[in-house]
Amino acid sequence: MEPAVSGIALGNLEALADAISAQVGGAVTIEDVQSRVLAYSSSEDAVDDIRKLTILGRRVPQWRISAMEESGFFRALWASGDVVHRSASDDEPERFAIAVKAGTEILGSIWVATSGTPGHDMVEVLRNCAAAAVSHLLFYRSLHSGLALQVDTAARDLLKGHGSADLLAERAGLSAALPAIVLVIRSDDPRRMDINPRVPELVTLKSSLQGGRPVVVPREGSLWVILTGFRTPEEAQARARTVAESLVEPLDSMLPGRTWISVGTAVSSLHGVRDSLRSAELALRALKFSPAAGTVGSAPDLGNEMALVQLGDSLAGADFSRPTPVDRLVNHDGERGDTALVDTLRAYLDAFGNIPKAARQLGYHPNSFRYRLRKMEEISGIKLEDPDARLLAQIQLRLLPGVGDGQRNG
């Protein structure tokens, strides 16, 4: 073991990075197998744009990861037990890297940014440092996995209503007195979100870039995200909305299908995050309930949609006099295996009786739509000139199975 490395306290990766940097004469990062930065040296040697971006994001930029995967560099790095050299090119600065392995298990890697061909001494020093880093990374992983579990448990308990804000603040290094807000992220393919470890990492990065202190809690195909560290509830509300919008494009590329992101109402302290979660969950239901609202929204901006969801909840068990006009349409379409006449009525009502607009919504010529509308009136018996009939039809259409679960097409 190198003398400069041997005296470092177990798990102190920042000190380890500085010691390696001093030994090899270059700027060092220590990374895990997902290319997340665990520590970096304070040396200013060979600080290029890629290193700056890596340190700022606490992770190698995704486009660099993709390029190294495609070129086979990672395969070579993980397979080799020695220093791997990547020469400089037009868009790639020079790097020396070595995998840190405990037997056959890959724990991470050490990267050195320098210039020029390394001498035999540098290569040998880096080999020795990689061997010394094994115990540090094992200890670091054990320590942080245990702490992460404690933070996750404290956050989950708090959001479920039987935890302590002070306990979460203590474990996560937060201030319980600062404003907080909750985001909910849900995919229509929940299994993909559950198995994709980069989703929580992306959420953490985007939140941190907005100055927030995030706690990400995975939960059954969705994520609960507590954001705190802001000076006022108004700042928390605005920053959380920005975080949500910044997640749309990368999540769309990472997850198949649709992803909804709702932002709750900001609260004055960490003690109120349960209320913020309730508003975020209701806002998410509102987004799925009303396709026109989009896939990203904040509770303060979704008042009408949220009220409709709550009205639907109240009326879900109502025993209407049967059959209503909507019942007749549902039965008719069910026998035919489609939703043509139900869709015709919905489009007409959504367009406030504007036939050209309703026809465009369904992709019909106005004359074809008028024919369908007459057929719909004949089968259902609805009197479209009656405001009470229109109101009841709107309510029942909203309560049809699937409408509140995001299955309706807008």
Side-chain angles (χ1 to χ4, degrees), residues 51-79:
R51 178 174 165 83
K52 290 177 183 177
L53 287 171
T54 298
I55 291 173
L56 177 64
R58 300 294 296 189
R59 182 190 175 117
V60 177
Q62 184 58 50
W63 61 271
R64 282 297 317 132
I65 294 174
S66 299
M68 286 189 285
E69 287 174 343
E70 291 173 6
S71 69
F73 185 85
F74 279 127
R75 285 195 303 274
L77 176 62
W78 303 139

PDB file of all heavy atoms in Angstrom, residues 51-79:
ATOM      1  N   ARG A  51     -14.477  17.273 -16.770  1.00  0.00           N
ATOM      2  CA  ARG A  51     -14.315  17.115 -15.311  1.00  0.00           C
ATOM      3  C   ARG A  51     -15.209  18.086 -14.558  1.00  0.00           C
ATOM      4  O   ARG A  51     -15.841  17.728 -13.559  1.00  0.00           O
ATOM      5  CB  ARG A  51     -12.851  17.316 -14.918  1.00  0.00           C
ATOM      6  CG  ARG A  51     -12.611  17.223 -13.402  1.00  0.00           C
ATOM      7  CD  ARG A  51     -11.137  17.279 -13.066  1.00  0.00           C
ATOM      8  NE  ARG A  51     -10.923  17.543 -11.646  1.00  0.00           N
ATOM      9  CZ  ARG A  51     -10.949  16.612 -10.694  1.00  0.00           C
ATOM     10  NH1 ARG A  51     -11.183  15.354 -11.024  1.00  0.00           N
ATOM     11  NH2 ARG A  51     -10.739  16.932  -9.432  1.00  0.00           N
ATOM     12  N   LYS A  52     -15.296  19.334 -15.047  1.00  0.00           N
ATOM     13  CA  LYS A  52     -16.154  20.321 -14.387  1.00  0.00           C
ATOM     14  C   LYS A  52     -17.614  19.860 -14.390  1.00  0.00           C
ATOM     15  O   LYS A  52     -18.313  19.940 -13.371  1.00  0.00           O
ATOM     16  CB  LYS A  52     -16.031  21.674 -15.081  1.00  0.00           C
ATOM     17  CG  LYS A  52     -14.685  22.358 -14.880  1.00  0.00           C
ATOM     18  CD  LYS A  52     -14.622  23.662 -15.669  1.00  0.00           C
ATOM     19  CE  LYS A  52     -13.266  24.323 -15.537  1.00  0.00           C
ATOM     20  NZ  LYS A  52     -13.174  25.569 -16.359  1.00  0.00           N
ATOM     21  N   LEU A  53     -18.089  19.379 -15.550  1.00  0.00           N
ATOM     22  CA  LEU A  53     -19.467  18.909 -15.644  1.00  0.00           C
ATOM     23  C   LEU A  53     -19.704  17.695 -14.751  1.00  0.00           C
ATOM     24  O   LEU A  53     -20.758  17.566 -14.113  1.00  0.00           O
ATOM     25  CB  LEU A  53     -19.801  18.543 -17.095  1.00  0.00           C
ATOM     26  CG  LEU A  53     -19.976  19.700 -18.079  1.00  0.00           C
ATOM     27  CD1 LEU A  53     -20.087  19.165 -19.501  1.00  0.00           C
ATOM     28  CD2 LEU A  53     -21.202  20.533 -17.716  1.00  0.00           C
ATOM     29  N   THR A  54     -18.714  16.812 -14.698  1.00  0.00           N
ATOM     30  CA  THR A  54     -18.834  15.603 -13.880  1.00  0.00           C
ATOM     31  C   THR A  54     -18.948  15.954 -12.406  1.00  0.00           C
ATOM     32  O   THR A  54     -19.789  15.411 -11.678  1.00  0.00           O
ATOM     33  CB  THR A  54     -17.619  14.686 -14.119  1.00  0.00           C
ATOM     34  OG1 THR A  54     -17.599  14.290 -15.493  1.00  0.00           O
ATOM     35  CG2 THR A  54     -17.682  13.450 -13.234  1.00  0.00           C
ATOM     36  N   ILE A  55     -18.108  16.870 -11.958  1.00  0.00           N
ATOM     37  CA  ILE A  55     -18.129  17.256 -10.542  1.00  0.00           C
ATOM     38  C   ILE A  55     -19.398  18.033 -10.212  1.00  0.00           C
ATOM     39  O   ILE A  55     -20.020  17.808  -9.167  1.00  0.00           O
ATOM     40  CB  ILE A  55     -16.868  18.082 -10.208  1.00  0.00           C
ATOM     41  CG1 ILE A  55     -15.630  17.171 -10.261  1.00  0.00           C
ATOM     42  CG2 ILE A  55     -16.993  18.733  -8.833  1.00  0.00           C
ATOM     43  CD1 ILE A  55     -14.319  17.899 -10.103  1.00  0.00           C
ATOM     44  N   LEU A  56     -19.816  18.936 -11.098  1.00  0.00           N
ATOM     45  CA  LEU A  56     -21.025  19.714 -10.856  1.00  0.00           C
ATOM     46  C   LEU A  56     -22.251  18.820 -10.719  1.00  0.00           C
ATOM     47  O   LEU A  56     -23.072  19.000  -9.816  1.00  0.00           O
ATOM     48  CB  LEU A  56     -21.246  20.708 -11.999  1.00  0.00           C
ATOM     49  CG  LEU A  56     -22.532  21.557 -11.921  1.00  0.00           C
ATOM     50  CD1 LEU A  56     -22.501  22.463 -10.704  1.00  0.00           C
ATOM     51  CD2 LEU A  56     -22.709  22.383 -13.197  1.00  0.00           C
ATOM     52  N   GLY A  57     -22.367  17.835 -11.616  1.00  0.00           N
ATOM     53  CA  GLY A  57     -23.524  16.940 -11.591  1.00  0.00           C
ATOM     54  C   GLY A  57     -23.345  15.731 -10.706  1.00  0.00           C
ATOM     55  O   GLY A  57     -24.261  14.914 -10.595  1.00  0.00           O
ATOM     56  N   ARG A  58     -22.147  15.601 -10.098  1.00  0.00           N
ATOM     57  CA  ARG A  58     -21.811  14.434  -9.279  1.00  0.00           C
ATOM     58  C   ARG A  58     -21.970  13.143 -10.061  1.00  0.00           C
ATOM     59  O   ARG A  58     -22.199  12.077  -9.492  1.00  0.00           O
ATOM     60  CB  ARG A  58     -22.661  14.374  -8.001  1.00  0.00           C
ATOM     61  CG  ARG A  58     -22.519  15.553  -7.076  1.00  0.00           C
ATOM     62  CD  ARG A  58     -21.146  15.669  -6.460  1.00  0.00           C
ATOM     63  NE  ARG A  58     -20.789  14.564  -5.588  1.00  0.00           N
ATOM     64  CZ  ARG A  58     -19.712  14.540  -4.812  1.00  0.00           C
ATOM     65  NH1 ARG A  58     -18.880  15.571  -4.805  1.00  0.00           N
ATOM     66  NH2 ARG A  58     -19.447  13.500  -4.042  1.00  0.00           N
ATOM     67  N   ARG A  59     -21.811  13.251 -11.368  1.00  0.00           N
ATOM     68  CA  ARG A  59     -21.928  12.080 -12.233  1.00  0.00           C
ATOM     69  C   ARG A  59     -21.367  12.416 -13.598  1.00  0.00           C
ATOM     70  O   ARG A  59     -21.474  13.564 -14.061  1.00  0.00           O
ATOM     71  CB  ARG A  59     -23.397  11.674 -12.368  1.00  0.00           C
ATOM     72  CG  ARG A  59     -23.612  10.428 -13.214  1.00  0.00           C
ATOM     73  CD  ARG A  59     -25.071  10.208 -13.522  1.00  0.00           C
ATOM     74  NE  ARG A  59     -25.193   9.072 -14.423  1.00  0.00           N
ATOM     75  CZ  ARG A  59     -25.819   7.947 -14.132  1.00  0.00           C
ATOM     76  NH1 ARG A  59     -26.397   7.813 -12.970  1.00  0.00           N
ATOM     77  NH2 ARG A  59     -25.890   6.964 -14.998  1.00  0.00           N
ATOM     78  N   VAL A  60     -20.771  11.438 -14.263  1.00  0.00           N
ATOM     79  CA  VAL A  60     -20.306  11.639 -15.630  1.00  0.00           C
ATOM     80  C   VAL A  60     -21.516  11.971 -16.503  1.00  0.00           C
ATOM     81  O   VAL A  60     -22.576  11.331 -16.382  1.00  0.00           O
ATOM     82  CB  VAL A  60     -19.602  10.367 -16.155  1.00  0.00           C
ATOM     83  CG1 VAL A  60     -19.181  10.547 -17.608  1.00  0.00           C
ATOM     84  CG2 VAL A  60     -18.397  10.034 -15.284  1.00  0.00           C
ATOM     85  N   PRO A  61     -21.441  13.000 -17.366  1.00  0.00           N
ATOM     86  CA  PRO A  61     -22.589  13.341 -18.215  1.00  0.00           C
ATOM     87  C   PRO A  61     -23.087  12.128 -18.994  1.00  0.00           C
ATOM     88  O   PRO A  61     -22.288  11.303 -19.463  1.00  0.00           O
ATOM     89  CB  PRO A  61     -22.021  14.416 -19.153  1.00  0.00           C
ATOM     90  CG  PRO A  61     -20.892  15.025 -18.381  1.00  0.00           C
ATOM     91  CD  PRO A  61     -20.299  13.902 -17.583  1.00  0.00           C
ATOM     92  N   GLN A  62     -24.402  12.037 -19.148  1.00  0.00           N
ATOM     93  CA  GLN A  62     -24.998  10.865 -19.774  1.00  0.00           C
ATOM     94  C   GLN A  62     -24.488  10.638 -21.193  1.00  0.00           C
ATOM     95  O   GLN A  62     -24.269   9.503 -21.613  1.00  0.00           O
ATOM     96  CB  GLN A  62     -26.523  10.996 -19.785  1.00  0.00           C
ATOM     97  CG  GLN A  62     -27.259   9.783 -20.333  1.00  0.00           C
ATOM     98  CD  GLN A  62     -26.932   8.519 -19.564  1.00  0.00           C
ATOM     99  OE1 GLN A  62     -27.004   8.507 -18.340  1.00  0.00           O
ATOM    100  NE2 GLN A  62     -26.580   7.451 -20.267  1.00  0.00           N
ATOM    101  N   TRP A  63     -24.257  11.710 -21.929  1.00  0.00           N
ATOM    102  CA  TRP A  63     -23.779  11.522 -23.303  1.00  0.00           C
ATOM    103  C   TRP A  63     -22.373  10.922 -23.328  1.00  0.00           C
ATOM    104  O   TRP A  63     -22.032  10.171 -24.240  1.00  0.00           O
ATOM    105  CB  TRP A  63     -23.820  12.846 -24.076  1.00  0.00           C
ATOM    106  CG  TRP A  63     -22.967  13.955 -23.518  1.00  0.00           C
ATOM    107  CD1 TRP A  63     -23.330  14.882 -22.586  1.00  0.00           C
ATOM    108  CD2 TRP A  63     -21.606  14.250 -23.871  1.00  0.00           C
ATOM    109  NE1 TRP A  63     -22.287  15.738 -22.326  1.00  0.00           N
ATOM    110  CE2 TRP A  63     -21.226  15.376 -23.099  1.00  0.00           C
ATOM    111  CE3 TRP A  63     -20.689  13.684 -24.752  1.00  0.00           C
ATOM    112  CZ2 TRP A  63     -19.952  15.944 -23.189  1.00  0.00           C
ATOM    113  CZ3 TRP A  63     -19.420  14.251 -24.844  1.00  0.00           C
ATOM    114  CH2 TRP A  63     -19.059  15.370 -24.077  1.00  0.00           C
ATOM    115  N   ARG A  64     -21.554  11.226 -22.289  1.00  0.00           N
ATOM    116  CA  ARG A  64     -20.228  10.620 -22.226  1.00  0.00           C
ATOM    117  C   ARG A  64     -20.338   9.137 -21.858  1.00  0.00           C
ATOM    118  O   ARG A  64     -19.619   8.292 -22.377  1.00  0.00           O
ATOM    119  CB  ARG A  64     -19.356  11.336 -21.181  1.00  0.00           C
ATOM    120  CG  ARG A  64     -18.778  12.636 -21.630  1.00  0.00           C
ATOM    121  CD  ARG A  64     -17.817  12.529 -22.792  1.00  0.00           C
ATOM    122  NE  ARG A  64     -16.889  11.417 -22.674  1.00  0.00           N
ATOM    123  CZ  ARG A  64     -16.640  10.558 -23.643  1.00  0.00           C
ATOM    124  NH1 ARG A  64     -17.284  10.658 -24.808  1.00  0.00           N
ATOM    125  NH2 ARG A  64     -15.775   9.586 -23.479  1.00  0.00           N
ATOM    126  N   ILE A  65     -21.240   8.830 -20.927  1.00  0.00           N
ATOM    127  CA  ILE A  65     -21.449   7.431 -20.551  1.00  0.00           C
ATOM    128  C   ILE A  65     -21.863   6.616 -21.771  1.00  0.00           C
ATOM    129  O   ILE A  65     -21.332   5.530 -22.029  1.00  0.00           O
ATOM    130  CB  ILE A  65     -22.505   7.320 -19.439  1.00  0.00           C
ATOM    131  CG1 ILE A  65     -21.997   7.960 -18.144  1.00  0.00           C
ATOM    132  CG2 ILE A  65     -22.886   5.861 -19.183  1.00  0.00           C
ATOM    133  CD1 ILE A  65     -23.038   8.028 -17.043  1.00  0.00           C
ATOM    134  N   SER A  66     -22.826   7.153 -22.529  1.00  0.00           N
ATOM    135  CA  SER A  66     -23.310   6.440 -23.718  1.00  0.00           C
ATOM    136  C   SER A  66     -22.182   6.220 -24.728  1.00  0.00           C
ATOM    137  O   SER A  66     -22.052   5.138 -25.316  1.00  0.00           O
ATOM    138  CB  SER A  66     -24.450   7.226 -24.371  1.00  0.00           C
ATOM    139  OG  SER A  66     -25.534   7.358 -23.477  1.00  0.00           O
ATOM    140  N   ALA A  67     -21.358   7.242 -24.910  1.00  0.00           N
ATOM    141  CA  ALA A  67     -20.265   7.124 -25.875  1.00  0.00           C
ATOM    142  C   ALA A  67     -19.253   6.069 -25.437  1.00  0.00           C
ATOM    143  O   ALA A  67     -18.766   5.278 -26.262  1.00  0.00           O
ATOM    144  CB  ALA A  67     -19.573   8.484 -26.038  1.00  0.00           C
ATOM    145  N   MET A  68     -18.946   6.020 -24.145  1.00  0.00           N
ATOM    146  CA  MET A  68     -17.982   5.027 -23.656  1.00  0.00           C
ATOM    147  C   MET A  68     -18.564   3.622 -23.692  1.00  0.00           C
ATOM    148  O   MET A  68     -17.841   2.643 -23.899  1.00  0.00           O
ATOM    149  CB  MET A  68     -17.520   5.408 -22.251  1.00  0.00           C
ATOM    150  CG  MET A  68     -16.555   6.589 -22.234  1.00  0.00           C
ATOM    151  SD  MET A  68     -15.796   6.892 -20.615  1.00  0.00           S
ATOM    152  CE  MET A  68     -17.175   7.630 -19.725  1.00  0.00           C
ATOM    153  N   GLU A  69     -19.880   3.514 -23.473  1.00  0.00           N
ATOM    154  CA  GLU A  69     -20.519   2.199 -23.594  1.00  0.00           C
ATOM    155  C   GLU A  69     -20.454   1.711 -25.033  1.00  0.00           C
ATOM    156  O   GLU A  69     -20.145   0.541 -25.308  1.00  0.00           O
ATOM    157  CB  GLU A  69     -21.966   2.277 -23.113  1.00  0.00           C
ATOM    158  CG  GLU A  69     -22.108   2.404 -21.599  1.00  0.00           C
ATOM    159  CD  GLU A  69     -23.549   2.624 -21.172  1.00  0.00           C
ATOM    160  OE1 GLU A  69     -24.374   3.004 -22.037  1.00  0.00           O
ATOM    161  OE2 GLU A  69     -23.849   2.434 -19.982  1.00  0.00           O
ATOM    162  N   GLU A  70     -20.753   2.605 -25.979  1.00  0.00           N
ATOM    163  CA  GLU A  70     -20.762   2.220 -27.395  1.00  0.00           C
ATOM    164  C   GLU A  70     -19.360   1.876 -27.896  1.00  0.00           C
ATOM    165  O   GLU A  70     -19.196   0.975 -28.731  1.00  0.00           O
ATOM    166  CB  GLU A  70     -21.357   3.358 -28.229  1.00  0.00           C
ATOM    167  CG  GLU A  70     -22.851   3.563 -28.010  1.00  0.00           C
ATOM    168  CD  GLU A  70     -23.369   4.796 -28.726  1.00  0.00           C
ATOM    169  OE1 GLU A  70     -22.588   5.407 -29.479  1.00  0.00           O
ATOM    170  OE2 GLU A  70     -24.548   5.149 -28.510  1.00  0.00           O
ATOM    171  N   SER A  71     -18.349   2.579 -27.399  1.00  0.00           N
ATOM    172  CA  SER A  71     -16.972   2.332 -27.864  1.00  0.00           C
ATOM    173  C   SER A  71     -16.351   1.103 -27.222  1.00  0.00           C
ATOM    174  O   SER A  71     -15.298   0.640 -27.668  1.00  0.00           O
ATOM    175  CB  SER A  71     -16.098   3.555 -27.552  1.00  0.00           C
ATOM    176  OG  SER A  71     -15.895   3.688 -26.141  1.00  0.00           O
ATOM    177  N   GLY A  72     -16.988   0.566 -26.189  1.00  0.00           N
ATOM    178  CA  GLY A  72     -16.440  -0.593 -25.510  1.00  0.00           C
ATOM    179  C   GLY A  72     -15.446  -0.260 -24.420  1.00  0.00           C
ATOM    180  O   GLY A  72     -14.794  -1.153 -23.861  1.00  0.00           O
ATOM    181  N   PHE A  73     -15.328   1.047 -24.092  1.00  0.00           N
ATOM    182  CA  PHE A  73     -14.340   1.433 -23.080  1.00  0.00           C
ATOM    183  C   PHE A  73     -14.662   0.824 -21.718  1.00  0.00           C
ATOM    184  O   PHE A  73     -13.768   0.335 -21.016  1.00  0.00           O
ATOM    185  CB  PHE A  73     -14.257   2.959 -22.971  1.00  0.00           C
ATOM    186  CG  PHE A  73     -13.180   3.431 -22.025  1.00  0.00           C
ATOM    187  CD1 PHE A  73     -11.878   3.579 -22.464  1.00  0.00           C
ATOM    188  CD2 PHE A  73     -13.459   3.704 -20.699  1.00  0.00           C
ATOM    189  CE1 PHE A  73     -10.863   3.987 -21.601  1.00  0.00           C
ATOM    190  CE2 PHE A  73     -12.462   4.110 -19.824  1.00  0.00           C
ATOM    191  CZ  PHE A  73     -11.163   4.256 -20.278  1.00  0.00           C
ATOM    192  N   PHE A  74     -15.943   0.857 -21.331  1.00  0.00           N
ATOM    193  CA  PHE A  74     -16.302   0.293 -20.033  1.00  0.00           C
ATOM    194  C   PHE A  74     -16.030  -1.206 -19.977  1.00  0.00           C
ATOM    195  O   PHE A  74     -15.576  -1.728 -18.958  1.00  0.00           O
ATOM    196  CB  PHE A  74     -17.773   0.577 -19.709  1.00  0.00           C
ATOM    197  CG  PHE A  74     -18.011   1.960 -19.153  1.00  0.00           C
ATOM    198  CD1 PHE A  74     -18.962   2.790 -19.724  1.00  0.00           C
ATOM    199  CD2 PHE A  74     -17.293   2.412 -18.069  1.00  0.00           C
ATOM    200  CE1 PHE A  74     -19.184   4.060 -19.221  1.00  0.00           C
ATOM    201  CE2 PHE A  74     -17.507   3.686 -17.555  1.00  0.00           C
ATOM    202  CZ  PHE A  74     -18.452   4.516 -18.138  1.00  0.00           C
ATOM    203  N   ARG A  75     -16.316  -1.911 -21.071  1.00  0.00           N
ATOM    204  CA  ARG A  75     -16.033  -3.347 -21.098  1.00  0.00           C
ATOM    205  C   ARG A  75     -14.553  -3.612 -20.845  1.00  0.00           C
ATOM    206  O   ARG A  75     -14.173  -4.502 -20.084  1.00  0.00           O
ATOM    207  CB  ARG A  75     -16.462  -3.961 -22.437  1.00  0.00           C
ATOM    208  CG  ARG A  75     -17.951  -4.140 -22.589  1.00  0.00           C
ATOM    209  CD  ARG A  75     -18.277  -5.074 -23.752  1.00  0.00           C
ATOM    210  NE  ARG A  75     -17.717  -4.600 -25.018  1.00  0.00           N
ATOM    211  CZ  ARG A  75     -18.313  -3.745 -25.824  1.00  0.00           C
ATOM    212  NH1 ARG A  75     -19.489  -3.249 -25.492  1.00  0.00           N
ATOM    213  NH2 ARG A  75     -17.731  -3.377 -26.958  1.00  0.00           N
ATOM    214  N   ALA A  76     -13.727  -2.804 -21.506  1.00  0.00           N
ATOM    215  CA  ALA A  76     -12.281  -2.958 -21.328  1.00  0.00           C
ATOM    216  C   ALA A  76     -11.859  -2.620 -19.901  1.00  0.00           C
ATOM    217  O   ALA A  76     -11.019  -3.302 -19.305  1.00  0.00           O
ATOM    218  CB  ALA A  76     -11.539  -2.067 -22.326  1.00  0.00           C
ATOM    219  N   LEU A  77     -12.456  -1.567 -19.354  1.00  0.00           N
ATOM    220  CA  LEU A  77     -12.101  -1.140 -17.994  1.00  0.00           C
ATOM    221  C   LEU A  77     -12.462  -2.207 -16.976  1.00  0.00           C
ATOM    222  O   LEU A  77     -11.648  -2.571 -16.110  1.00  0.00           O
ATOM    223  CB  LEU A  77     -12.802   0.171 -17.666  1.00  0.00           C
ATOM    224  CG  LEU A  77     -12.614   0.718 -16.248  1.00  0.00           C
ATOM    225  CD1 LEU A  77     -11.143   1.031 -15.982  1.00  0.00           C
ATOM    226  CD2 LEU A  77     -13.477   1.957 -16.030  1.00  0.00           C
ATOM    227  N   TRP A  78     -13.699  -2.731 -17.061  1.00  0.00           N
ATOM    228  CA  TRP A  78     -14.145  -3.705 -16.055  1.00  0.00           C
ATOM    229  C   TRP A  78     -13.430  -5.048 -16.224  1.00  0.00           C
ATOM    230  O   TRP A  78     -13.212  -5.765 -15.245  1.00  0.00           O
ATOM    231  CB  TRP A  78     -15.653  -3.910 -16.142  1.00  0.00           C
ATOM    232  CG  TRP A  78     -16.489  -2.677 -15.985  1.00  0.00           C
ATOM    233  CD1 TRP A  78     -17.601  -2.358 -16.710  1.00  0.00           C
ATOM    234  CD2 TRP A  78     -16.324  -1.604 -15.046  1.00  0.00           C
ATOM    235  NE1 TRP A  78     -18.122  -1.152 -16.306  1.00  0.00           N
ATOM    236  CE2 TRP A  78     -17.355  -0.668 -15.277  1.00  0.00           C
ATOM    237  CE3 TRP A  78     -15.386  -1.314 -14.053  1.00  0.00           C
ATOM    238  CZ2 TRP A  78     -17.485   0.503 -14.542  1.00  0.00           C
ATOM    239  CZ3 TRP A  78     -15.520  -0.140 -13.319  1.00  0.00           C
ATOM    240  CH2 TRP A  78     -16.548   0.745 -13.563  1.00  0.00           C
ATOM    241  N   ALA A  79     -13.053  -5.379 -17.446  1.00  0.00           N
ATOM    242  CA  ALA A  79     -12.395  -6.661 -17.679  1.00  0.00           C
ATOM    243  C   ALA A  79     -10.921  -6.633 -17.293  1.00  0.00           C
ATOM    244  O   ALA A  79     -10.343  -7.654 -16.936  1.00  0.00           O
ATOM    245  CB  ALA A  79     -12.533  -7.065 -19.149  1.00  0.00           C
TER     246      ALA A  79
END
